């Protein structure tokens, strides 16, 4: 059968962010995939060199809309490392709390998106409804739903009241019940099993070789989690399990993320019951360095790295940022090989891409000299219909 | 046990409940206390030190000179609602209100003086 | 193994391949080496210490020289291998045969910082647009945006 090249993107089927895949197919099967990113490269690393440390707290927050807090945690940590400051324990606990709340909301969001991609919109609606519990808590705690502006070098900016504490405990109890239910759905519902089992398999060796990170790596049965391996903030004092799965496919990612959310909920409850008293932040000088430091954290999507070199002024000499999705691009490229066209959206959505890819698929058949542009919706419909039409698995 | 329709009980349970969404703009959700909305500026408290403009990340807050007095103005078009100016101000002249509806037909209307 | 023990073990086993091994902080190790020895060090880390995960490569512009930091995460230790290259000849060997995960990061440093990576399998532009041409390397300190040579002066830190 003749090989056909399909450019996908620079708009994306899973999320609304640009990235381009060049897919080579033979019939229904993908034989090669090539990736071009950078369509939304905003030059933040360069921009950070022109901003003061105070301003960079808010600039780094805007690297990502979903895991914004991880980036500010990282930035505040590198600055604290260079300064040699230790934030007070209460500040660290609150920082960890928002990090975990963010993970819960990000994983619930992903569960909805994955449900949508597999044509299971019921799951999408209800998981996003339950996500509102976390969003409300975040809004009460920090003053905003998305970019919280909660972190600062030396601690956090707002203290927590008793009423908010009770709200978090109540919310976490309600969510725990809902998550038990979602775990049951993920393990039993045929719609999910049929679309995800055996799709997008990444073996343990390949995951290690291609340097995958986060839930994708743990779904390939590698027990790596920065929170455990290199504890930062208050993670060293918290009890939690690192979730892995040995089925290696997209279903493993659903299960890993669902169980991870349960762990996060328990951590939030634990933190609320064991919150240390005292100050929430220490005053830090405006001029930093000279010196350099690296900080990495476990973002909802995987390992996130900031490296700072300070030169003694109030602006950084160089700030390097590596967001988790860049590390996961390589393994998507690898797992797409051998997949069906209908599985492309799900495999790509599997890593929870945070700067993404495809909205349009151009299908060119060299033999028949026809071409057709597919909108993302059509690709999704096609994939759902393809599965309805033939019970392939 | 593999089965379909695991979510049907949830679906049915929802029938008797209110919708999750509200009919904005006829109904509005309440924002919590401490929400960072449109800025309110108290000119009488301001001493013109410029700390707010120095720390503003998006240049939404800039210093101008008016009636022989240095003072900031705030362009809500550019503001990221981070609240840093409120924190930096030594005289508490800046306050973040709970107003979040900032759509206007004229750009000048969203400049806070 | 504590970080200090790790530093001693590394100093012993890497021998003449490195200039120094230091640890400013728990679980952070910096290995200073020369570019001729980079491949040897990475290979050694992989074979003797089980390194498989390269986190990223950080590049610096120090004026006359470029500096690279290869961040390798082993178990609980975050290692950074430091290499310096003269700006007149910024070539370095690719480490992709040893750690294939570095392929995107090497493309990144080559287009943003102008490091020439010798032997890299795929040197197309990754982040910059395909029609970038020779508009320079954006992360170098002396780079000016060709589309906007003079940034408008504004107050409040916007540049
Ligand atoms: S809230 Fe933030 S962005 Fe807005 S004016 Fe104040 S400092 Fe500037
Ligand atoms: S920081 Fe406060 S007192 Fe100083 S110029 Fe701004 S508003 Fe006025």
């Amino acid at each position: 059968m003749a090989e056909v090249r399909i450019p996908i993107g620079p708009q994306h089927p899973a999320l609304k962010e640009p990235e381009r895949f060049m897919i080579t197919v033979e019939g229904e099967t993908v034989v090669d995939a090539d990736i071009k990113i950078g369509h939304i490269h905003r030059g933040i690393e360069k921009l950070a060199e022109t901003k003061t440390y105070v301003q960079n707290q808010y600039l780094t927050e805007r690297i990502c809309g979903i895991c914004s807090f991880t980036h500010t945690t990282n930035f505040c940590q590198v600055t604290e490392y260079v300064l040699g400051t230790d934030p007070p324990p209460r500040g660290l606990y609150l920082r960890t709390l928002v990090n975990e709340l963010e993970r819960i909301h990000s994983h619930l969001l992903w569960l909805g998106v994955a449900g949508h991609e597999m044509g299971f919109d019921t799951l999408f609606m209800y998981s996003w409804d339950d996500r509102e519990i976390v969003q409300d808590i975040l809004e009460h705690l920090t003053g905003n739903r998305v970019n919280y502006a909660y972190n600062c070098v030396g601690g956090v900016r707002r203290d927590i009241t008793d009423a908010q504490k009770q709200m978090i405990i109540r919310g976490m109890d309600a969510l725990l019940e809902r998550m038990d239910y979602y775990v049951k759905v993920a393990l039993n519902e045929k719609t999910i099993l049929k679309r995800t089992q055996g799709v997008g398999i990444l073996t343990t060796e390949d995951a290690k070789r291609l340097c995958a990170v986060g839930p994708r790596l743990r779904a390939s049965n590698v027990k790596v989690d920065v929170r455990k391996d290199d504890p930062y903030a208050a993670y060293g004092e918290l009890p939690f399990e690192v979730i892995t799965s040995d089925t290696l496919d997209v279903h493993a990612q659903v299960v890993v993320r669902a169980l991870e959310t349960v762990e996060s909920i328990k951590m939030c409850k634990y933190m609320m019951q064991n919150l240390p008293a005292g100050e929430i932040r220490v005053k830090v000088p405006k001029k930093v360095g000279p010196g350099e430091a690296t900080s990495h954290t476990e973002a909802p999507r995987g390992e996130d790295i900031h490296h700072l070199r300070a030169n003694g002024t109030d602006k950084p000499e160089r700030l390097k940022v590596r967001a988790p999705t860049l590390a996961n691009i390589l393994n998507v490229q690898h797992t797409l090989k051998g997949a069906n066209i209908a599985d492309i959206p799900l495999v790509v959505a599997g890593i929870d891409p945070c700067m993404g890819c495809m909205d349009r698929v151009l299908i060119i058949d060299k033999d028949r000299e026809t071409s057709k542009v597919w909108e993302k919706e059509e690709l999704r419909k096609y994939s759902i219909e393809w599965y309805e039409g033939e019970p392939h698995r | 046990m593999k089965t379909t329709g695991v979510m049907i009980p949830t679906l049915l349970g929802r029938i008797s409940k209110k919708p999750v969404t509200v009919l904005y703009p006829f109904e509005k959700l309440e924002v919590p206390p401490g929400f960072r909305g449109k800025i309110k500026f108290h000119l009488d408290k301001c001493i013109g030190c410029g700390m707010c403009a120095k720390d503003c990340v998006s240049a939404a807050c800039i210093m101008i000179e008016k009636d022989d007095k240095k003072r900031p103005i705030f362009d809500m078009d550019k503001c990221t609602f981070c609240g840093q100016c409120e924190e930096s101000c030594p005289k508490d002249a800046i306050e973040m209100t709970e107003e979040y509806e900032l759509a206007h037909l004229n750009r000048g209307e969203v400049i806070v003086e | 193994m504590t970080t200090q023990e790790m530093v001693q073990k590394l100093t012993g086993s890497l021998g003449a391949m490195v200039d120094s091994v230091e640890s400013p902080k728990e679980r952070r190790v910096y290995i200073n080496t020369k570019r001729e020895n980079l491949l040897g060090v990475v290979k050694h880390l992989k074979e003797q210490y089980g390194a498989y995960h390269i986190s990223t490569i950080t590049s610096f512009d120090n004026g006359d020289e470029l500096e690279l930091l290869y961040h390798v995460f082993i178990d609980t230790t975050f290692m950074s291998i430091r290499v310096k290259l003269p700006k007149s000849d910024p070539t370095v060997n690719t480490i992709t045969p040893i750690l294939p995960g570095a392929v995107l990061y090497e493309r990144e440093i080559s287009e943003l910082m102008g490091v020439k990576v010798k032997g890299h399998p795929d040197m197309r532009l990754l982040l910059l647009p395909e029609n970038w041409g020779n508009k320079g390397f954006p992360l170098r300190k002396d780079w000016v945006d060709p589309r906007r040579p003079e940034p408008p002066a504004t107050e409040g830190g916007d540049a």
Side-chain angles (χ1 to χ4, degrees), chain A residues 207-342:
Chain A
K208 284 183 167 182
R209 185 172 60 86
L210 298 169
C211 300
V213 293
R216 173 68 268 190
L217 183 61
R218 292 191 282 278
S220 293
N221 207 10
V222 185
K223 203 167 187 158
V224 171
D225 190 322
V226 182
R227 294 175 291 170
K228 260 285 194 271
D229 299 337
D230 185 7
Y232 55 95
Y235 284 111
E237 299 164 22
L238 301 180
F240 69 98
E241 290 289 318
V242 177
I243 311 283
T244 54
S245 166
D246 54 6
T247 56
L248 318 174
D249 48 11
V250 177
H251 187 247
Q253 298 190 55
V254 180
V255 175
V256 165
R257 285 206 177 83
L259 293 175
E260 244 177 56
T261 318
V262 175
E263 286 298 315
S264 295
I265 294 171
K266 288 186 189 149
M267 272 150 96
C268 288
K269 263 185 87 173
Y270 177 88
M271 275 184 273
M272 284 301 91
Q273 282 150 356
N274 298 284
L275 190 66
E279 290 292 307
I280 53 163
R281 69 188 285 187
V282 286
K283 253 191 107 57
V284 291
K286 287 208 161 177
K287 293 199 166 127
V288 179
E292 71 180 319
T294 320
S295 154
H296 59 164
T297 58
E298 187 71 24
R301 291 160 182 76
E303 186 198 26
D304 173 31
I305 300 164
H306 283 216
H307 184 92
L308 171 77
R309 175 172 290 180
N311 55 7
T313 62
D314 60 352
K315 289 173 186 159
E317 166 90 12
R318 172 95 167 84
L319 177 70
K320 162 82 192 169
V321 178
R322 205 294 318 276
T325 304
L326 183 62
N328 270 336
I329 293 276
L330 269 187
N331 69 59
V332 171
Q333 196 172 356
H334 176 80
T335 35
L336 277 179
K337 287 175 199 164
N340 283 318
I341 295 182

Side-chain angles (χ1 to χ4, degrees), chain A residues 37 230 317-318 320 322, chain C residues 27 55 59 108 126 141:
Chain A
I37 55 173
D230 185 7
E317 166 90 12
R318 172 95 167 84
K320 162 82 192 169
R322 205 294 318 276
Chain C
R27 297 191 296 270
S55 289
S59 51
E108 187 184 340
L126 175 74
K141 290 279 178 196

Side-chain angles (χ1 to χ4, degrees), chain A residues 20 34-39 41 45-47 49-51 55 77 81 207-213 217 222 224-226 228-232 292-296 303 305 307-309 315-323 326-330 333, chain C residues 24-28 30 52-62 67 69 71 73 75-78 80 82 99-105 107-109 111-113 122 124-130 137-143 156-159:
Chain A
R20 200 191 67 211
D34 181 35
I35 297 179
K36 167 92 175 100
I37 55 173
H39 301 278
H41 193 268
E45 287 179 22
K46 187 85 179 170
L47 187 60
E49 291 168 14
T50 67
K51 303 264 178 203
Q55 293 171 332
Q77 276 180 7
Y81 291 165
K208 284 183 167 182
R209 185 172 60 86
L210 298 169
C211 300
V213 293
L217 183 61
V222 185
V224 171
D225 190 322
V226 182
K228 260 285 194 271
D229 299 337
D230 185 7
Y232 55 95
E292 71 180 319
T294 320
S295 154
H296 59 164
E303 186 198 26
I305 300 164
H307 184 92
L308 171 77
R309 175 172 290 180
K315 289 173 186 159
E317 166 90 12
R318 172 95 167 84
L319 177 70
K320 162 82 192 169
V321 178
R322 205 294 318 276
L326 183 62
N328 270 336
I329 293 276
L330 269 187
Q333 196 172 356
Chain C
K25 202 175 170 302
E26 260 314 274
R27 297 191 296 270
R28 297 280 186 280
Y30 286 86
Y52 63 85
H53 185 85
I54 173 147
S55 289
T56 190
I57 307 171
T58 306
S59 51
F60 301 94
D61 179 0
N62 294 346
E67 186 178 330
L69 275 180
H71 302 288
F73 190 33
D75 291 336
T76 60
T77 316
F78 198 82
S80 305
R82 192 192 306 275
L99 298 175
V103 64
L104 293 183
Y105 310 131
R107 280 167 79 175
E108 187 184 340
I109 56 168
E111 60 190 75
L112 296 183
M113 198 49 108
D122 175 14
R124 288 167 304 152
L125 290 177
L126 175 74
L127 293 164
L128 296 173
E130 281 121 342
F137 307 111
L139 275 181
R140 291 220 180 153
K141 290 279 178 196
D142 52 8
W143 183 79
D158 189 25

Side-chain angles (χ1 to χ4, degrees), chain B residues 41 45-52 63 72 88-91 93-94:
Chain B
F41 177 57
K45 289 190 196 161
C46 175
I47 53 167
C49 66
M51 291 305 289
C52 48
M63 297 302 287
S88 298
C89 178
K91 294 287 168 195
I94 302 167

Side-chain angles (χ1 to χ4, degrees), chain C:
Chain C
M1 192 166 24
T2 67
T3 314
Q4 282 314 320
E5 284 166 8
M6 186 92 173
V7 169
Q8 269 164 20
K9 197 171 160 208
L10 278 167
T11 319
S13 66
L14 285 166
M17 276 200 288
V18 293
D19 299 340
S20 64
V21 182
E22 53 197 54
S23 163
K25 202 175 170 302
E26 260 314 274
R27 297 191 296 270
R28 297 280 186 280
V29 174
Y30 286 86
I31 300 171
N32 300 315
T33 184
K34 297 202 176 56
R35 65 172 154 179
E36 305 85 80
N37 294 330
L38 174 68
L39 282 178
V41 172
V42 176
K43 203 168 187 162
H44 184 87
L45 287 182
K46 182 172 181 178
E47 281 161 8
Q48 304 298 318
Y49 297 85
Y52 63 85
H53 185 85
I54 173 147
S55 289
T56 190
I57 307 171
T58 306
S59 51
F60 301 94
D61 179 0
N62 294 346
D64 297 337
E65 56 179 15
L66 301 179
E67 186 178 330
L68 298 178
L69 275 180
Y70 290 74
H71 302 288
V72 182
F73 190 33
I74 306 176
D75 291 336
T76 60
T77 316
F78 198 82
M79 310 228 184
S80 305
I81 308 166
R82 192 192 306 275
V83 188
K84 290 188 175 160
L85 320 166
K87 226 178 197 172
S88 50
D89 173 32
T91 42
V92 69
N93 283 324
T94 175
I95 62 162
T96 47
I98 309 165
L99 298 175
V103 64
L104 293 183
Y105 310 131
E106 286 189 343
R107 280 167 79 175
E108 187 184 340
I109 56 168
S110 94
E111 60 190 75
L112 296 183
M113 198 49 108
V115 176
K116 290 201 183 72
V117 186
K118 221 168 29 195
H120 191 281
D122 175 14
M123 268 284 96
R124 288 167 304 152
L125 290 177
L126 175 74
L127 293 164
L128 296 173
E130 281 121 342
N131 58 0
W132 184 254
N134 52 0
K135 295 203 189 84
F137 307 111
L139 275 181
R140 291 220 180 153
K141 290 279 178 196
D142 52 8
W143 183 79
V144 261
D145 192 338
R147 295 158 303 179
R148 198 180 68 169
E150 290 271 310
T154 47
E155 244 179 289
D158 189 25

